[in-house]
Amino acid sequence: MAEAGNRHFDIIIVGAGFAGLYLIHKMRALGLSVRVFEKGDDVGGTWYWNRYPGARCDIESIDYSFGFDPELEQEWEWSEKYATQPEILRYAQHVAERFDLRRDISFETRVEKAVWDDETSGWSVTTDKGDTLTSRFFIMATGCLSQPKDIDIAGIENFTGEIYRTHSWPHEGVDFAGKRVGVIGTGSSGIQSIPLIAEQADSTTVFQRTANYSIPAGNGPIAPEKRAVKDRYRDYREEARWTRGGVPGPVAMDLALVTSEEEREQRYEKLWAKGAISHLALEFADLLVNLEANETLGQYARKRIRSKIEDPAKADILTPTEFPICTKRPCLDTGYFETFNRPNVDIVDIKKDPIRSITATGVATRDRSFDFDALVFATGFDAMTGALLAIDIVGRGGQSLQDKWADGPASYLGLAVEGFPNFFTITGPGSPSVLSNMILSIEQHVEWIADCLDHMRGERLDVIEATATAETGWVEYGTASSDMTLFPLAKSWYMGANVPGKPRVCLPYVGGVGAYRRACNDVVAQDYLGFRFDGPGGTRCNDGLVRRQQPDVVALLEMLDDLDLPPFESMSAAEARATSEAMSAGNPPGPAVGDVVDGEYPGAEGPLEYRLYRPQTEGPHPVTLYFHGGGWVLGDHASDDAFCRDLCVSADSIIISANYRHAPEHPFPAAVDDGFAALNWVAEDIEELGGISGALAVCGWSAGGNIAAVVCQLARDAGGPDIKGQVLITPVVDGADDSPSMTDNAEGFVLTRALMDWFWDHYADPAVRADPKASPLHAADLSNLPPALVITAEFDPLRDQGKAYAEALGAAGTEARHISYPGQIHTSFTAVGAIPTANDARQEMAAALRQSFRAMEPA
Ligand code: N01
């Protein structure tokens, strides 16, 4: 062992890559003793091992470098936009020397086992040298792409030629001159190495299972504007910390699907010319969430790829088609596709002609056999969990990490694991890690841990452990985040799909480094929410979930927070209307429908506008009369356009969005009188409108839900029109509500209590609010009303009154169903395209409408 006799440390760390190096530096600064064990004979981690020809970073070096020390970042000069592996390795070595880090590292030593001991509140760590050491904390800094995937091709042991693997390339290099080389694998490693192998070799044959997207790196000297970053590195790094991928750059809010083809093409051209993957998927806000939008970039990429390959048969094989672009890690290349224009380079599509086995002399596919002098495997890694599970880590009660993660990794923030006290993972599963600039993410984890250990020391706490509640909550949040995206559609290593038998879960957190950093900071700000501490300073735990809303809701709330708009209730009605219109201007458009017709209907006191949405299917159709939201003050017949389109398509119903007079110009009961007039008009004219006679339902959101509920009562009392069903979305039904949801959700979720008061104050004098036409919950009789579906949101001041209305309807004998959606807010359900986690709720509403109409069909 390198250190003289010491067998106990404050911290034992596995891995001397960038994470291990920075950990030593930070832990030393805290005055803690550290020992790092590293399998290789020097520092550098992934850059120590992956020495294949062409290996480079795929995040620009100005970004892919440490930001913790201003002197370090000024003194180091990168020679190229994307540095080569030797240069990055030299950088790691420079860092080790500059901060005198090697003296705390035991090289050529593999950690085999680590066991938590409850008695001593520490870890016992065993190495392949037979040593057992102890520590208070145990940190895995083993990297995300360090454990190679087993080669799952039969017969490799029979091959008599040379075998190379990109992830553990010979340090002395390989001379392929005069050799026939077979390469298996076309991920980043294959795509980077193939052009250089092909330059040397007599012949090169590439076996490709899945064609991959790659864009030209445009490598070369660092552009002057990028070099100028060094003059403002501090600000630049800070900016990077709050981005999505850890690299500053423009983030589009606009959508590919509402941008003209011409403009899209121009933007994609520019994107290609940049030669960078860090912002590829951020060019439009819908590229990673909407398949059709994604396809616009996919098509462009395919066109560019095809244009480089002369032989159409080779182009067919090399052009990717099997997954949405950017759902597998996109590659950066230098002359990859052009390499296949060489006469001595071939591509074999092993999806069509699968490899049967490796033979003594080469590769046998189903239809052909190939002879090689050397085989190169670029077949990838058991990503993110492989290296963590390669060591036998045993936590509390003898539970191993392998057992705990048998069905997929469970981790709090990708940092800590319940049942494994004083154990941290750097860039573990559940953190942005591989979807980000790794060095920046490493720094954030190391700094978070250092702050945590410092806090523990200050509070005299010895043991920290994530709680089950917090861990499960974060895992669910991570899954909900990835489920909103297209990532699950690819058989990628992000999804664990490249390793046979590996659980299929999205391993990284997809929400971006900024959102993630905010979550980590929020945990700290809430007294380390979701962590249990123990020690002489006491036992303490503020348990709970760091993110309680759905991920898209969180993103929306964070965006609104950043905008820091004045509250509506501080504005005049006219200002509020203008602001509301401006805010909805960029909303996603909603799906195409058969027809949209604007017209006028006879309101209670004069003509009012309506917008009719007709399905693409053949009519006549049932009709749903819809009332928009906006607290009786804001909005109009067109303001919930995307939602009306969505409902039209999913319910296969004509939707008529009828405007009504707004307060304060037209206070109570103008809105409901207009609503009832609209109902009578639709019922009378239903066939002329393309509807089926009698097939009429109502639906409304918020104040529109109030109108829908009221018109059902008015129609019942008036003896018609007959309404087949009512769908009430977060409706206002009680002007005197003071239930817990009013207090719990009073602030912070778009509709605030203050805003609701402001709406009421504009709409109805307190003296009339108890009138059932204003507060339908207060109706003396709630029987014989149309079957109702009431949708409420967990984080909505109106949650409890919606629930109360459904219960009161049910108690009076009216068929009523109530669904409360966890993690949603008042505005979630109509936000089509913006809040995809409410898609289920929208499907429920459509199903309820279809059910109402079905009920009238003869059995
Ligand atoms: O590995 P991969 P990688 N038979 O998993 C194929 C980072 N990185 O080492 O796609 C036949 O991407 C497999 O086929 P398929 C970067 O994040 C960065 O190239 O599964 N083929 C695929 O083509 C990257 O994403 C840089 O159908 C088999 C290939 O092997 C990550 O590391 C450079 C097979 C594996 O591709 C991993 O990249 C290099 C089989 N049995 C790596 N098994 C930089 O630029 C697998 N394949 C910084």
Side-chain angles (χ1 to χ4, degrees):
M1 282 183 33
E3 78 286 7
N6 192 358
R7 308 201 70 80
H8 181 80
F9 299 89
D10 292 318
I11 328 259
I12 287 180
I13 295 162
V14 187
F18 284 119
L21 293 178
Y22 188 36
L23 272 166
I24 302 176
H25 182 65
K26 283 299 277 186
M27 296 302 136
R28 269 191 203 160
L30 289 175
L32 299 169
S33 61
V34 193
R35 175 68 14 196
V36 173
F37 292 106
E38 165 57 52
K39 200 166 61 171
D41 66 9
D42 199 4
V43 300
T46 198
W47 300 106
Y48 170 91
W49 296 102
N50 287 267
R51 298 175 187 234
Y52 59 84
R56 289 175 188 275
C57 52
D58 59 4
I59 300 283
E60 292 185 47
S61 296
I62 288 284
D63 300 282
Y64 189 77
S65 47
F66 278 125
F68 69 84
D69 187 298
E71 283 177 21
L72 169 67
E73 69 191 358
Q74 288 304 330
E75 77 196 9
W76 186 265
E77 289 293 339
W78 294 106
S79 66
E80 286 177 284
K81 176 181 175 188
Y82 296 108
T84 59
Q85 171 271 333
E87 187 170 353
I88 305 172
L89 184 59
R90 276 201 302 281
Y91 175 71
Q93 290 164 341
H94 171 76
V95 171
E97 274 143 35
R98 189 183 201 289
F99 298 101
D100 185 22
L101 303 176
R102 281 199 179 86
R103 66 184 156 88
D104 284 330
I105 307 173
S106 298
F107 291 105
E108 296 182 86
T109 310
R110 229 183 75 81
V111 167
E112 294 190 327
K113 188 168 180 131
V115 182
W116 171 254
D117 183 348
D118 259 331
E119 296 270 305
T120 58
S121 292
W123 287 89
S124 169
V125 178
T126 308
T127 71
D128 62 351
K129 301 271 166 66
D131 290 318
T132 297
L133 301 98
T134 55
S135 63
R136 284 178 55 216
F137 295 92
F138 180 58
I139 306 181
M140 291 291 277
T142 38
C144 295
L145 293 154
S146 49
Q147 180 69 18
K149 176 179 114 106
D150 290 337
I151 294 180
D152 44 0
I153 304 173
I156 187 163
E157 65 286 356
N158 301 329
F159 186 62
T160 52
E162 300 156 21
I163 292 182
Y164 301 103
R165 303 193 64 179
T166 46
H167 62 73
S168 48
W169 203 257
H171 287 201
E172 61 283 7
V174 180
D175 183 4
F176 287 111
K179 292 189 176 144
R180 296 161 302 166
V181 183
V183 183
I184 299 176
T186 53
S188 301
S189 305
I191 283 178
Q192 283 186 333
S193 57
I194 286 164
L196 290 160
I197 294 173
E199 267 177 24
Q200 280 189 359
D202 206 30
S203 70
T204 305
T205 305
V206 176
F207 294 88
Q208 174 197 277
R209 189 161 67 184
T210 313
N212 220 333
Y213 289 99
S214 182
I215 67 170
N219 200 25
I222 300 174
E225 65 276 13
K226 196 76 188 191
R227 189 170 290 279
V229 158
K230 282 189 93 165
D231 300 335
R232 53 180 184 96
Y233 237 152
R234 300 296 71 222
D235 293 344
Y236 185 81
R237 300 280 195 198
E238 183 56 17
E239 200 187 321
R241 291 182 184 110
W242 299 100
T243 58
R244 217 177 152 86
V247 178
V251 177
M253 300 298 280
D254 56 342
L255 308 172
L257 287 186
V258 294
T259 303
S260 72
E261 215 177 312
E262 197 187 350
E263 185 189 331
R264 265 196 324 243
E265 184 87 359
Q266 281 168 4
R267 282 168 66 168
Y268 291 156
E269 292 278 337
K270 273 198 195 147
L271 198 59
W272 238 243
K274 268 192 206 161
I277 57 171
S278 46
H279 287 83
L280 202 56
L282 303 180
E283 186 60 28
F284 291 106
D286 49 354
L287 288 179
L288 273 180
V289 293
N290 182 305
L291 205 49
E292 215 185 315
N294 182 281
E295 182 54 15
T296 63
L297 181 60
Q299 254 176 25
Y300 177 83
R302 292 197 292 274
K303 188 175 74 182
R304 295 297 299 248
I305 288 171
R306 288 197 79 91
S307 72
K308 289 170 191 263
I309 309 162
E310 288 158 11
D311 176 347
K314 285 182 178 174
D316 282 348
I317 298 175
L318 284 159
T319 304
T321 53
E322 289 186 43
F323 57 93
I325 187 167
C326 295
T327 56
K328 276 184 161 189
R329 174 84 164 194
C331 305
L332 266 185
D333 72 273
T334 304
Y336 173 67
F337 294 109
E338 295 86 337
T339 296
F340 292 89
N341 296 332
R342 288 170 170 260
N344 59 345
V345 179
D346 205 1
I347 181 88
V348 179
D349 180 351
I350 58 170
K351 275 254 168 65
K352 285 215 175 106
D353 183 13
I355 296 180
R356 273 211 322 252
S357 69
I358 308 290
T359 63
T361 54
V363 173
T365 62
R366 190 191 56 203
D367 302 338
R368 297 161 74 184
S369 82
F370 300 83
D371 288 342
F372 296 119
D373 303 306
L375 276 179
V376 174
F377 288 88
T379 42
F381 298 88
D382 182 353
M384 297 202 68
T385 53
L388 298 173
L389 297 177
I391 295 174
D392 187 13
I393 301 172
V394 182
R396 229 187 254 290
Q399 186 188 32
S400 72
L401 196 62
Q402 282 103 333
D403 284 345
K404 167 141 181 161
W405 284 8
D407 297 327
S411 163
Y412 186 31
L413 301 165
L415 261 172
V417 183
E418 182 264 341
F420 294 78
N422 288 5
F423 171 63
F424 296 107
T425 54
I426 305 294
T427 63
S431 72
S433 57
V434 291
L435 290 177
S436 70
N437 172 358
M438 281 300 292
I439 299 194
L440 178 132
S441 284
I442 285 169
E443 284 186 319
Q444 188 243 338
H445 267 189
V446 171
E447 285 160 13
W448 192 97
I449 293 168
D451 289 347
C452 174
L453 298 194
D454 196 32
H455 165 81
M456 288 174 71
R457 182 163 57 187
E459 301 282 313
R460 296 186 306 122
L461 300 167
D462 290 340
V463 180
I464 177 173
E465 182 183 345
T467 69
T469 305
E471 182 178 89
T472 306
W474 185 253
V475 171
E476 285 174 358
Y477 188 72
T479 307
S481 304
S482 58
D483 282 353
M484 292 178 342
T485 69
L486 304 174
F487 282 108
L489 299 183
K491 283 192 198 158
S492 65
W493 58 259
Y494 293 147
M495 296 297 300
N498 65 327
V499 175
K502 188 164 173 172
R504 193 72 73 92
V505 293
C506 188
L507 295 163
Y509 166 68
V510 304
V513 298
Y516 175 77
R517 181 180 287 266
R518 262 192 292 276
C520 291
N521 290 356
D522 287 352
V523 164
V524 176
Q526 293 169 73
D527 199 12
Y528 286 88
L529 181 69
F531 284 101
R532 180 174 298 108
F533 292 97
D534 212 350
T539 298
R540 67 176 70 160
C541 176
N542 180 20
D543 204 1
L545 307 181
V546 63
R547 289 290 173 260
R548 296 166 69 206
Q549 293 83 40
Q550 297 292 337
D552 42 6
V553 173
V554 170
L556 175 93
L557 295 175
E558 286 177 351
M559 189 192 77
L560 290 174
D561 215 35
D562 283 350
L563 290 176
D564 200 18
L565 296 168
F568 279 126
E569 59 272 22
S570 68
M571 303 179 193
S572 68
E575 286 165 348
R577 283 174 194 145
T579 307
S580 158
E581 255 177 56
M583 283 171 72
S584 17
N587 284 351
V593 296
D595 197 11
V596 177
V597 181
D598 284 336
E600 283 190 343
Y601 77 93
E605 293 198 358
L608 287 164
E609 307 100 314
Y610 72 84
R611 179 168 283 186
L612 180 148
Y613 303 84
R614 199 183 310 285
Q616 284 173 334
T617 53
E618 203 179 322
H621 297 96
V623 177
T624 304
L625 176 61
Y626 177 76
F627 300 110
H628 65 267
W632 307 282
V633 177
L634 316 175
D636 60 26
H637 57 296
S639 54
D640 296 341
D641 187 75
F643 176 70
C644 290
R645 287 168 177 274
D646 191 72
L647 198 59
C648 171
V649 172
S650 341
D652 198 29
S653 163
I654 289 175
I655 307 293
I656 298 178
S657 174
N659 205 5
Y660 46 86
R661 285 168 296 156
H662 292 107
E665 297 85 345
H666 304 281
F668 173 82
V672 281
D673 287 347
D674 289 334
F676 193 49
L679 181 75
N680 282 306
W681 162 69
V682 174
E684 273 167 32
D685 289 7
I686 194 160
E687 288 180 29
E688 290 95 285
L689 290 164
I692 301 167
S693 176
L696 175 59
V698 294
C699 175
W701 166 48
S702 191
N706 170 282
I707 299 171
V710 169
V711 301
C712 287
Q713 295 186 12
L714 295 177
R716 176 201 57 188
D717 297 344
D722 183 30
I723 302 173
K724 297 297 180 216
Q726 51 178 325
V727 172
L728 310 178
I729 309 160
T730 58
V732 190
V733 288
D734 182 6
D737 185 16
D738 195 26
S739 53
S741 66
M742 273 286 174
T743 316
D744 296 349
N745 306 316
E747 281 175 39
F749 305 113
V750 184
L751 179 67
T752 60
R753 183 170 192 158
L755 179 57
M756 197 59 233
D757 288 346
W758 185 82
F759 284 143
W760 272 116
D761 290 344
H762 281 75
Y763 181 53
D765 194 83
V768 297
R769 287 186 198 170
D771 185 324
K773 273 178 82 174
S775 295
L777 180 63
H778 294 292
D781 179 9
L782 290 172
S783 65
N784 294 317
L785 290 166
L789 171 65
V790 183
I791 299 285
T792 59
E794 183 184 2
F795 295 95
D796 180 5
L798 305 186
R799 179 194 67 206
D800 293 348
Q801 54 183 277
K803 178 170 182 265
Y805 193 58
E807 284 170 358
L809 290 173
T814 293
E815 194 184 319
R817 206 153 57 93
H818 166 232
I819 310 178
S820 177
Y821 283 90
Q824 297 295 357
I825 59 172
H826 184 73
T827 50
S828 292
F829 304 108
T830 51
V832 169
I835 303 292
T837 55
N839 285 348
D840 286 357
R842 291 189 268 274
Q843 289 303 320
E844 279 289 345
M845 299 172 205
L849 288 174
R850 283 198 306 268
Q851 179 58 35
S852 314
F853 301 130
R854 252 199 309 273
M856 46 181 289
E857 287 168 10

